[in-house]
Amino acid sequence: MKEIKQNRKTQYTQMVLRNALMELMEQKTISQITVKELCIKADINRTTFYAHYTDTNDLLHKIEADVLLSVSKAVSSLHGPIGKNNIIQIIQELLQYIADNNKHIQILLSERGDVNFPKELFMMIYGKCELMALAPHSSTKEFYFIFVLNGSIGLIQHWLKSGLTKSANEMAEIIVNMAAQIK
């Protein structure tokens, strides 16, 4: 019985710290946030914080790792041959996850977080989807991939900032159609 209570307590502490970090990141970059400030916001003492994380960057990286794991599971659950419709479905699933968690995801994809996270997220998705197989066969294949990757990130960041004015499915179709036009 004690272990269950401790586990719930740990989960609660981690949730409160994660939410507090996201709230602070609405105003500041990760490098501007101190452990003391985070603990005050979360109403947790610093000893408790250090029992779970080494610093604010460690907490941010664990949040990012959880997002990557969730997205990876969602993408892996979709099977079938790689084609335009399947890719739209995969991207739509990702965008729906982003829409459902838009407050936190918007912060993670913004300049206030880890600048490498958006690229890491989309490289993982595109790698799992084998999207490079759909790229034009030429010596510029790598450039095509980088262009589509960064363009997708920019479109999604704009979609989040503009208040999700289009559905996840509409955005998936826009991204895939734009990528197809580049060929």
Side-chain angles (χ1 to χ4, degrees):
M1 185 74 169
K2 188 174 182 179
E3 180 140 343
I4 292 172
K5 187 175 181 184
Q6 182 64 29
N7 200 8
R8 283 184 182 166
K9 187 188 256 187
T10 299
Q11 289 174 350
Y12 173 78
T13 299
Q14 291 173 345
M15 178 194 69
V16 169
L17 285 166
R18 289 168 183 238
N19 289 338
L21 181 65
M22 291 293 108
E23 285 181 38
L24 289 169
M25 286 181 68
E26 289 176 12
Q27 269 51 98
K28 301 177 173 190
T29 64
I30 187 67
S31 62
Q32 296 171 320
I33 299 170
T34 65
V35 171
K36 180 180 179 181
E37 177 181 26
L38 178 61
C39 290
I40 290 169
K41 181 82 170 166
D43 196 24
I44 302 287
N45 71 47
R46 288 183 2 179
T47 304
T48 303
F49 175 86
Y50 287 116
H52 300 281
Y53 309 103
T54 57
D55 58 17
T56 56
N57 281 311
D58 183 37
L59 172 55
L60 177 62
H61 291 303
K62 288 189 174 148
I63 294 169
E64 291 171 346
D66 286 348
V67 169
L68 289 171
L69 182 62
S70 295
V71 170
S72 178
K73 285 179 182 177
V75 171
S76 296
S77 70
L78 300 168
H79 298 288
I82 300 298
K84 185 177 178 179
N85 289 335
N86 194 4
I87 291 169
I88 289 174
Q89 182 185 4
I90 291 167
I91 294 173
Q92 190 272 327
E93 291 280 328
L94 164 69
L95 294 174
Q96 191 59 56
Y97 174 83
I98 290 171
D100 293 344
N101 299 282
N102 93 48
K103 184 177 178 185
H104 288 144
I105 299 293
Q106 184 172 359
I107 292 165
L108 292 173
L109 293 177
S110 77
E111 59 282 347
R112 292 183 302 274
D114 176 0
V115 295
N116 294 317
F117 176 70
K119 288 185 176 105
E120 189 178 346
L121 176 65
F122 282 90
M123 286 180 70
M124 182 270 301
I125 293 162
Y126 288 172
K128 282 194 171 285
C129 298
E130 301 172 21
L131 290 183
M132 282 295 282
L134 298 177
H137 296 287
S138 72
S139 61
T140 61
K141 190 174 194 170
E142 181 182 352
F143 295 106
Y144 170 84
F145 178 73
I146 291 168
F147 186 80
V148 169
L149 177 72
N150 287 303
S152 298
I153 293 166
L155 281 171
I156 292 169
Q157 287 171 330
H158 176 73
W159 179 55
L160 288 166
K161 285 179 184 174
S162 64
L164 307 173
T165 55
K166 299 208 178 289
S167 72
N169 190 49
E170 289 172 308
M171 284 302 299
E173 288 180 11
I174 289 169
I175 289 170
V176 170
N177 290 334
M178 287 182 155
Q181 289 178 20
I182 296 168
K183 293 179 182 182

